[in-house]
Structures are given as C-alpha cells and as structure tokens.
C-alpha cells in the first residue's frame, strides 16, 4: 500500500528512511526464509546472532570504532544511561564525583540523576537560558573527578557542540542521542558515548553504548544488573532478552547510511538542510527568530519563533495549522522553549512559588535527522518563505 504523503519533522521517535520501512514490511512475516518474524525469533538463534553481529560491525565501520572499545545494545533509553553512566563510572576514582556541563534539558536531567550516586559539579556558571554553550575559558574542571559529561546535541533547545570539550586527560562522556551518525566523530577522544536509537538510527527500545574497555569494572554494587556494563559486555548485550526488533531496525538504518555514503555524506546533507532553514530565519528581518547563539545552532533540531517581538502565539498556531494542511507534521516546539522559564526549578512550582512551568509557549521546532531529505527541508523552506510574504 502506498503511504500517505506526510513529512515528519518530529523530534523523536522520528522519521525513518522509506526504504527501511519497506524492507521491514517485506521481511515482517518471514525473515530471510526462516518462516518466522524477527518479532518471534529467539535472541539466541543463529539468525538473530547474525543480526546482532551485522549491527555491531556496521557501527564499527561507520564510526571507525577502535578495537579497545566495546559496543552494547541496551534497553532503558537515553534516560536509562543517565543512571547507568554514574552507576558504572563514578566509582572510577575514590572521590566519587563527576563534572557536568549543563546546557539544556537533557544534560540537566542527567546531572540530577547522577546526584543520587555521587557528587556532581557543574563546571561553568549556571545558565539563565539554554541558548548557548558557556565559553570553555569559564569552565573549571574538578581534579579527581571520575568523568566529564556533556550532551552533544540538546534536542529540546537546539544547542549543539561543534567541538569536543577539552578535558585535559579526564574521561569524557557524551550523550549523542539526537546527533549520532549525523556527522563523523573521533571515538578515541571519548571514554563513553551513548545514543538512544529513536532520533537518528532507528526506533525506540534500544540504546547504543560505546565504552572504552579499561573503564569497565568499577560498577557500584547497587547497579541493576541490566545496566551493568561489565555484565552486558561479557554477554554481548544478551545477558537478558534485548530489544530484538529495534536492533534489527537499527541494522537496516545503518545499512542505509552506509549505502548512502556514510557519516560524511550525512554531514554534508545535514549542513545543507539546516542551512536552508537558518538562512530563511536570518534573512526574515526578525519575523522568524531563533534564540540560540549562532555558534552552537543545531543541525538536527531547529527551534524558532514566528512573529515579530520573539513570537506571536496566534501566528504560530496559524503557521503550524497551515504546515499540517500541507502534510508537514510534528513541527510544534517543545513546551519549554520560549526562553524565559527554562531554568525555573520544579521544586519552586511544587512549593507554589511560581506559576505552572508547563505553560505552552513552544514556538516551532523542525527536526532534520538523517532520514529527513533535502526535498523535505525544501518543502518547509518554501512554506516559510510564503508564510513570511503573506504576513510581514
Ligand atoms: C530523547 C533524548 C533523551 C531521552 O531518551 P529516552 O530514550 O526517551 O530516554 C536523552 N538525551 C537526548 C539528547 C535526547 O534527545
């Protein structure tokens, strides 16, 4: 059956390549002549073992992962890794402390979770709004900290690091959930990288963890066994039943990336797509505004407001309704992007100190992951130009 023509700009779960969906459909009832579906298959069968090996090998190839790194396919999402990282790594040094860069919702959530297991130091002056990356000259890393943590692309706020933080030898950990495989990355600079699949490399259910071997084995005793890196690496991520179907979908996406030129080609396309949108914002004479510093604007998630004076909710609704009529969906921004109330502490809300922090003032957010094509981005760009002409 033909798919209805929809362009999905969702932030996650997000668009998958059409060819991946067709292949999954074709193989759904009978995988590779086995007579059964991947959904029904033993995770210890030879067919599934092949799927696991293919997935890992493709990842190693696409990212040139060095041999002294292990790759895991775990459950629990990116959020599960907010706990797993400190549970496995904060014990690397006896002080049990970790340094965090807090540049948006996701790194903030990660830092809060880590506080349960050790001491967390935010290495830079606290940000009032999540619209920039504090200048590295203002960071003070803690001697004796077990690792330095950052979120490479803040999905909610559209803030992306285009450099690798200098840690002066300290172990570097990065959440790459929303820009994984969108550009090349030198894995050898990291102690650990993790990424939930549902943004750029598949569907929900599986999270990739790439960890340097020598960091394994310092897990706190209270760590749940499914999150224990030592147990999971020793068992090739098969200590318990993994997210089999999600891993299979990831293998198809990785193959698609490889057949389309690998991460270098993805980067070229992602630069092109995001520039198309940012160029319109920049030349709109403040009709469209993006609050994020130009130096760290994300290629994956482009948040913007519609209407002079930093956004007009009525115009934004009109913009989104019009987009949806043209088949462009999931463009509504995250409720927390509006600038003002990003850093309001939820505990203040609980104590009645501030009004509801969930006021809906999200504006627009276009997510331009690998599977979103240049043509898709062009449709949005054309619509933005038309909308501007009609309303300025
Ligand atoms: C979506 C996202 C997460 C959370 O992933 P879940 O799988 O929902 O737990 C964490 N970090 C980043 C950067 C994300 O984009």
């Amino acid at each position: 059956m033909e798919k209805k023509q929809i362009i999905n700009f969702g932030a996650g779960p997000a668009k998958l390549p059409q060819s991946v969906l067709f292949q999954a459909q074709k193989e759904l009832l009978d995988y590779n002549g086995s007579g059964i579906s991947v959904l029904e298959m033993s995770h210890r069968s030879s067919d599934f073992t092949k799927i696991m090996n293919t997935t890992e090998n493709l990842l190693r190839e696409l990212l040139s992962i060095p041999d002294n790194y292990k790759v895991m396919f775990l459950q629990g999402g990116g959020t599960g890794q907010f706990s797993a990282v400190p549970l496995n790594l904060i014990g690397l040094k006896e002080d049990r402390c970790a340094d965090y860069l807090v540049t948006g919702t996701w790194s903030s959530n990660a830092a809060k979770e880590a506080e349960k297991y050790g001491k967390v130091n935010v290495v830079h002056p606290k940000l009032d709004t999540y619209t920039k990356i504090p200048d590295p000259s203002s960071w003070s890393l803690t001697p004796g900290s077990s690792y330095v943590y950052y979120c490479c692309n803040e999905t909610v706020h559209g803030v992306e690091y285009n450099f690798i933080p200098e840690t002066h030898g300290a172990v570097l950990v990065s959440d790459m959930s929303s820009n994984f495989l969108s550009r090349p990355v030198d894995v050898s600079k990291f102690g650990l990288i993790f990424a939930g699949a549902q943004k750029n490399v598949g569907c929900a259910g599986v999270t990739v963890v790439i960890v340097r071997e020598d960091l394994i084995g310092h897990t706190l005793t209270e760590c749940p066994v499914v999150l224990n890196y030592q147990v999971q690496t020793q068992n090739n991520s098969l200590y318990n039943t993994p997210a089999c179907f999600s891993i299979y979908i990831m293998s198809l996406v990785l193959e698609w990336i490889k057949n389309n030129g690998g991460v270098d080609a993805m980067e070229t396309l992602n630069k092109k797509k995001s520039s198309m949108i940012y160029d319109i914002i920049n030349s709109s004479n403040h009709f469209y505004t993006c609050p994020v510093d130009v130096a760290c604007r994300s290629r994956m998630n482009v948040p913007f407001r519609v209407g002079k004076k930093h956004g007009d909710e009525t115009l934004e609704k009109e913009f989104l309704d019009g987009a949806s009529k043209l088949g462009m969906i999931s463009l509504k921004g995250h409720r927390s992007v509006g600038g003002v109330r990003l850093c309001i502490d939820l505990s203040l809300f609980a104590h009645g100190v501030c009004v509801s922090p969930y006021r809906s003032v999200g504006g627009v957010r276009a997510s331009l992951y690998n599977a979103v094509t240049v043509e898709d981005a062009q449709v949005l760009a054309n619509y933005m130009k038309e909308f501007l002409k009609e309303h300025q």
Side-chain angles (χ1 to χ4, degrees):
M1 203 175 70
E2 277 301 309
K3 266 184 82 191
K4 190 176 162 199
Q5 281 306 315
I6 287 288
I7 306 177
N8 181 3
F9 289 103
K15 184 177 175 183
L16 285 165
Q18 180 101 306
S19 63
V20 165
L21 292 175
F22 277 132
Q23 191 170 346
Q25 181 188 44
K26 197 174 102 213
E27 296 177 335
L28 184 67
L29 300 185
D30 179 3
Y31 177 76
N32 197 24
S34 66
I36 60 170
S37 173
V38 175
L39 288 163
E40 309 168 290
M41 199 173 268
S42 163
H43 57 296
R44 308 204 185 272
S45 64
S46 64
D47 273 319
F48 190 72
T49 305
K50 266 190 227 138
I51 293 174
M52 281 289 266
N53 291 342
T54 305
T55 315
E56 175 168 345
N57 290 338
L58 281 166
L59 256 183
R60 287 191 176 275
E61 186 182 336
L62 289 168
L63 282 179
S64 310
I65 300 176
D67 290 341
N68 62 328
Y69 284 73
K70 297 280 190 194
V71 176
M72 289 175 271
F73 301 99
L74 303 183
Q75 303 197 54
T79 307
Q81 292 307 307
F82 296 170
S83 326
V85 165
L87 281 163
N88 284 280
L89 301 186
I90 210 160
L92 276 169
K93 299 229 171 122
E94 57 185 54
D95 288 355
R96 277 205 193 179
C97 78
D99 281 349
Y100 277 71
L101 291 156
V102 177
T103 51
T105 299
W106 292 119
S107 50
S108 165
N109 288 355
K112 268 187 217 136
E113 185 63 18
E115 277 171 5
K116 294 180 185 168
Y117 308 109
K119 186 167 168 9
V120 166
N121 305 307
V122 177
V123 305
H124 52 80
K126 200 168 185 297
L127 297 169
D128 296 328
T129 57
Y130 292 134
T131 53
K132 62 180 177 209
I133 294 167
D135 193 277
S137 66
S138 71
W139 305 354
S140 57
L141 303 182
T142 318
S145 87
S146 294
Y147 59 88
V148 179
Y149 179 106
Y150 78 109
C151 174
C152 195
N153 182 65
E154 292 282 2
T155 323
V156 173
H157 299 92
V159 171
E160 184 172 16
Y161 288 70
N162 57 22
F163 62 97
I164 297 178
E166 175 54 66
T167 63
H168 307 287
V171 171
L172 184 61
V173 174
S174 186
D175 173 2
M176 295 194 183
S177 292
S178 53
N179 64 353
F180 195 55
L181 300 188
S182 72
R183 51 161 81 199
V185 56
D186 181 354
V187 175
S188 72
K189 296 267 195 300
F190 295 84
L192 184 143
I193 293 169
F194 70 84
Q198 73 271 26
K199 313 288 164 66
N200 233 349
V201 287
C203 63
V206 60
T207 303
V208 176
V209 181
I210 303 168
V211 61
R212 215 173 65 213
E213 270 168 1
D214 60 289
L215 305 177
I216 299 171
H218 302 269
T219 308
L220 305 186
T221 45
E222 62 263 43
C223 180
V225 69
V226 291
L227 295 180
N228 187 316
Y229 296 155
Q230 186 159 41
V231 172
Q232 289 289 11
T233 52
Q234 278 170 351
N235 289 278
N236 293 320
S237 308
L238 294 169
Y239 174 77
N240 66 321
T241 318
C244 302
F245 197 76
S246 303
I247 293 169
Y248 157 72
I249 294 291
M250 189 191 290
S251 74
L252 299 183
V253 174
L254 297 179
E255 218 154 90
W256 173 85
I257 294 176
K258 182 180 166 180
N259 293 338
N260 284 280
V263 286
D264 293 306
M266 294 298 128
E267 179 176 48
T268 306
L269 294 174
N270 290 326
K271 273 186 190 164
K272 189 165 173 181
K273 290 180 291 179
S274 55
S275 304
M276 282 159 62
I277 307 302
Y278 285 121
D279 285 350
I280 294 172
I281 294 171
N282 294 343
S283 61
S284 72
N285 193 22
H286 305 291
F287 179 76
Y288 297 117
T289 47
C290 173
V292 180
D293 259 15
V294 174
C296 58
R297 286 185 174 177
S298 169
R299 290 178 194 158
M300 295 283 100
N301 314 96
V302 182
F304 61 92
R305 304 295 311 253
V306 183
K308 294 256 175 186
K309 300 210 167 69
H310 306 290
D312 169 331
E313 285 179 47
T314 314
L315 262 190
E316 280 169 347
K317 184 169 184 316
E318 193 183 328
F319 180 92
L320 293 169
D321 289 346
S324 145
K325 283 205 187 92
L326 295 171
M328 290 178 277
I329 64 158
S330 299
L331 278 166
K332 193 166 169 31
H334 195 276
R335 57 182 183 237
S336 74
V337 176
V340 211
R341 44 142 297 276
L342 297 175
C343 304
I344 295 175
D345 192 328
L346 285 184
S347 60
L348 295 179
F349 176 49
H351 292 110
V353 176
C354 70
V355 291
S356 167
Y358 290 122
R359 196 159 50 99
S360 167
V361 286
V364 180
R365 173 177 50 169
S367 294
L368 307 171
Y369 299 124
N370 287 347
V372 174
T373 63
V374 173
E375 292 73 31
D376 292 343
Q378 188 66 58
V379 173
L380 175 61
N382 292 345
Y383 174 64
M384 288 173 72
K385 279 188 218 155
E386 279 305 308
F387 194 86
L388 171 65
K389 244 192 242 158
E390 282 165 27
H391 293 88
Q392 80 189 142

